[in-house]
Amino acid sequence: MEWYWIGLLIVVVLFLLSAVRIVKEYERGVIFRLGRLVGARGPGLFFIIPILENMVVVDLRTVTYDVPSQEVVTKDNVTVKVNAVVYYRVVDPAKAVTEVFDYQYATAQLAQTTLRSIIGQAELDEVLSERDKLNVKLQQIIDEETNLWGIKVTAVEIKDVELPEEMRRIMAMQAEAERERRSKIIRAEGEYQAAMKLREAADVLAQSEGAILLRYLQTLNEISAEQNTTIVMPIPVELLKFFVEKAKS
């Protein structure tokens, strides 16, 4: 009889210990009683009814999912490889357990298919230069679908876009041609501005014949300062005209 009571006591103790559950601060325990959903409990210490109740622990921390590189054909028929990262967390543990078989796997597959769909609807230039717009669009679409599962997608970021070797070479040639075009335009604008200033200077000199002579003498003075042995100076027609008119007067 003593062994009987000792065994019974051990069974009762084990029964009570199996009813104790401890859930961490970042976790929630989803309780089922005879297969029916009771609700989510935690964090802290609480009790469940052994055999009649069972618990599924759900982590509420933000999960970082690295979407594998996806080979996609863009809207303008360019094949690219794109990968991204998705940040999501569980906001409703009961839905995450009851509405979908495996919410992590389901979210991962949804992120991959959505990434392929959105990149396939965009042109290459949009993928390269407007990533922020695509990130927002991806986040909205994925979050709308996962909201039914009690999951909140906080952010989606496109990490890398890999182009074919031929396309990269063509883009490099395009960028080089664009820089050359800009340099020619800048050089032409400089020559135009210089021509405009020379025209203004010529108009000022044309208003006074003495100014041409003074400018000529100033040029001779600047050349003589270099201590050259030979100085070749063209004689302007205006200067000859000046002396002819002086001789007539």
Side-chain angles (χ1 to χ4, degrees):
M1 292 297 295
E2 292 179 357
W3 287 106
Y4 171 77
W5 290 110
I6 293 175
L8 182 60
L9 180 61
I10 293 175
V11 171
V12 172
V13 172
L14 293 176
F15 183 81
L16 294 176
L17 290 177
S18 64
V20 177
R21 291 292 185 270
I22 298 176
V23 175
K24 298 182 180 65
E25 181 66 30
Y26 54 85
E27 295 176 339
R28 294 296 182 272
V30 181
I31 307 299
F32 292 90
R33 181 180 301 159
L34 296 176
R36 292 180 177 273
L37 176 65
V38 176
R41 297 179 185 177
L45 175 67
F46 57 90
F47 297 90
I48 65 172
I49 303 174
I51 301 175
L52 300 181
E53 292 183 346
N54 67 311
M55 183 181 70
V56 179
V57 179
V58 179
D59 197 323
L60 302 184
R61 292 176 294 182
T62 300
V63 179
T64 304
Y65 173 65
D66 191 1
V67 181
S69 181
Q70 303 292 314
E71 188 171 353
V72 188
V73 179
T74 61
K75 189 176 180 180
D76 48 354
N77 297 324
V78 179
T79 302
V80 296
K81 290 184 178 180
V82 184
N83 60 350
V85 59
V86 180
Y87 301 90
Y88 67 92
R89 60 187 178 89
V90 177
V91 294
D92 191 337
K95 284 186 177 181
V97 174
T98 58
E99 297 296 333
V100 62
F101 177 73
D102 186 347
Y103 68 89
Q104 292 183 341
Y105 179 77
T107 303
Q109 294 301 312
L110 179 62
Q112 293 182 25
T113 55
T114 305
L115 178 63
R116 295 176 63 91
S117 176
I118 295 302
I119 298 300
Q121 297 174 8
E123 295 184 354
L124 179 61
D125 293 339
E126 185 178 358
V127 175
L128 296 176
S129 61
E130 299 182 4
R131 291 192 184 182
D132 294 338
K133 183 189 298 184
L134 295 177
N135 291 337
V136 173
K137 192 173 182 180
L138 284 168
Q139 187 268 336
Q140 291 176 350
I141 294 176
I142 300 175
D143 183 59
E144 183 178 357
E145 296 293 334
T146 57
N147 187 41
L148 301 176
W149 308 335
I151 297 173
K152 173 64 178 177
V153 178
T154 57
V156 179
E157 297 290 339
I158 297 176
K159 294 199 306 182
D160 188 26
V161 179
E162 183 179 351
L163 300 175
E165 184 65 27
E166 296 180 357
M167 181 57 64
R168 282 185 287 181
R169 185 165 54 251
I170 293 174
M171 292 181 66
M173 295 173 59
Q174 180 182 1
E176 183 178 357
E178 178 66 19
R179 289 194 295 268
E180 185 177 357
R181 181 184 69 86
R182 292 179 182 178
S183 65
K184 290 182 178 179
I185 292 176
I186 294 174
R187 190 182 301 111
E189 289 180 353
E191 294 177 355
Y192 173 77
Q193 294 176 3
M196 294 296 294
K197 293 299 181 181
L198 289 174
R199 188 185 69 176
E200 294 177 2
D203 293 339
V204 173
L205 293 174
Q207 296 176 3
S208 175
E209 296 180 352
I212 299 178
L213 178 59
L214 293 176
R215 183 60 182 167
Y216 179 75
L217 295 176
Q218 182 181 2
T219 304
L220 287 176
N221 184 36
E222 292 175 356
I223 295 177
S224 62
E226 298 294 333
Q227 298 180 357
N228 296 322
T229 56
T230 303
I231 299 177
V232 179
M233 284 293 298
I235 300 177
V237 178
E238 291 79 2
L239 183 61
L240 297 177
K241 182 180 178 181
F242 173 76
F243 285 113
V244 170
E245 290 182 355
K246 288 297 183 181
K248 289 182 180 179
S249 61

